[in-house]
Amino acid sequence: MTNPNLLSVADLGADGIEEVLRVTDSFVEVSARAIPRVPALRGRTVVSLFYECSTRTRLSFETAARRLSADTMNFTITTSSTTKGESLRDTVETIDAMGIDAVVVRHSAAGVPWQIAGWTEASVINAGDGWHEHPTQALLDCYTIRRHRKTLEGLRIVVVGDVKHSRVARSGVLAFTALGAEVTLVAPRTLLPPSTEGWPVEVSHDLDAVLPKADVVYLLRLQNERMSEALIPTLREYTSGYGLTRRRAALLQDDALVMHPGPINRGVEVAAEVTDLPRSVITQQVANGVAVRMAVLYLLLAGGAASESGEPALA
Ligand code: CP
């Protein structure tokens, strides 16, 4: 990686994404060992600075850091001096003064990782900023698709649901299209951004029409926590128009994949039984997330790009 931070998928471009995916292969192998640990980041310190809730991203970054033998520091809002009014900047500068090498940050406000990058020399990794971006989710999604298909080039990826509030969709569109996929967004008008001008996507409101040609169906949760008004009539009507029901799953090609970043609202954007089908790779996305995040931490902190073969030097 040429950039000291990972703030946006745009920091990587197609070559940078390919580099992360190549290095991830090595960390999938490490993760499968009886003792899944290498000394690559011994002596380095990685801080989790999560101002928003998380299960997958937080735990997988912490697991990734430990598997690389880095020290970890975990910041929890409810037990921190944020509750006494300490500002974001003072919090970052305080943690920075303890000696850190990377900050993994999630915040409800778009742009916070960029602000933090101005306050610390440590590498900053965006683990989700508001509706804006979630780059490592996009990387693990690309990796998961590549485990099933040799390439994303020419694949038809259908992203369904609450695109408007989705940082996953924004990073996903950047990464999928950088690797040559064609993306179609499917949502009611109220769950699309006011304009998709400049987005390299098609837009549809008819899920039944696009499913038969899809190679990947990527489902998004309704992000109620980001909605200040009613954007759908009822959950039942939303599911009826945009949920991946059992009937709709039967419209898919035999080898089409079903993906979801989690957390899932079963029975809303996807039927519970559809998540159990062999075509559903949702738990594989989670498992790959650890190795992808090991690759990101390694490339940012271990002092150099991977070799031509993509093999990091791991003892
Ligand atoms: N996909 C994702 O970001 O999940 P978490 O909110 O649990 O981290």
Side-chain angles (χ1 to χ4, degrees), residues 255-313:
D255 58 353
L257 304 176
V258 172
M259 302 180 72
H260 194 305
I264 300 172
N265 288 140
R266 291 177 200 276
V268 181
E269 68 270 16
V270 60
E273 61 268 34
V274 172
T275 63
D276 296 333
L277 295 174
R279 65 165 81 250
S280 163
V281 295
I282 297 167
T283 51
Q284 293 171 38
Q285 289 172 262
V286 176
N288 292 332
V290 176
V292 164
R293 287 166 177 135
M294 288 173 82
V296 168
L297 289 170
Y298 176 83
L299 287 168
L300 288 175
L301 300 186
S307 67
E308 275 297 300
S309 69
E311 295 281 325

Side-chain angles (χ1 to χ4, degrees), residues 47-64:
V47 184
S48 300
L49 194 64
F50 276 58
Y51 281 83
E52 248 194 11
C53 296
S54 166
T55 298
R56 282 148 284 270
T57 312
R58 180 176 190 144
L59 292 179
S60 64
F61 262 115
E62 290 170 4
T63 303

Side-chain angles (χ1 to χ4, degrees), residues 43-234:
R44 304 301 184 100
T45 301
V46 177
V47 184
S48 300
L49 194 64
F50 276 58
Y51 281 83
E52 248 194 11
C53 296
S54 166
T55 298
R56 282 148 284 270
T57 312
R58 180 176 190 144
L59 292 179
S60 64
F61 262 115
E62 290 170 4
T63 303
R66 280 197 301 275
R67 287 186 182 175
L68 293 165
S69 302
D71 295 322
T72 55
M73 271 192 222
N74 304 317
F75 168 92
T76 307
I77 259 194
T78 49
T79 56
S80 75
S81 289
T82 302
T83 58
K84 303 173 198 165
E86 189 163 43
S87 69
L88 176 66
R89 181 171 187 158
D90 284 341
T91 302
V92 170
E93 290 179 351
T94 298
I95 294 170
D96 193 48
M98 296 178 200
I100 57 170
D101 297 287
V103 183
V104 180
V105 59
R106 172 170 288 190
H107 201 284
S108 57
V112 161
W114 279 260
Q115 282 185 292
I116 291 177
W119 300 329
T120 175
E121 292 298 310
S123 288
V124 179
I125 302 172
N126 183 356
D129 63 321
W131 309 358
H132 184 218
E133 277 226 41
H134 192 351
T136 57
Q137 179 70 46
L139 291 168
L140 73 89
D141 291 334
C142 290
Y143 188 80
T144 303
I145 295 169
R146 284 261 288 258
R147 296 284 279 193
H148 290 269
R149 303 293 184 92
K150 279 202 175 65
T151 175
L152 271 74
E153 187 75 46
L155 290 189
R156 295 190 179 107
I157 301 180
V158 175
V159 178
V160 190
D162 183 2
V163 177
K164 178 176 176 146
H165 301 105
S166 179
R167 55 195 175 207
V168 170
R170 284 168 180 75
S171 288
V173 166
L174 286 173
F176 299 155
T177 55
L179 297 187
E182 295 168 19
V183 177
T184 302
L185 305 178
V186 184
R189 285 178 211 288
T190 51
L191 293 179
L192 286 169
S195 167
T196 48
E197 207 178 302
W199 290 43
V201 297
E202 301 283 318
V203 175
S204 169
H205 307 292
D206 186 348
L207 184 55
D208 284 359
V210 301
L211 285 180
K213 288 186 179 166
D215 295 295
V216 176
V217 187
Y218 197 103
L219 301 158
L220 300 171
R221 179 176 66 87
L222 289 171
Q223 307 219 357
N224 293 310
E225 71 275 24
R226 304 194 200 284
M227 294 183 197
S228 52
E229 57 192 335
L231 295 176
I232 53 168
T234 63

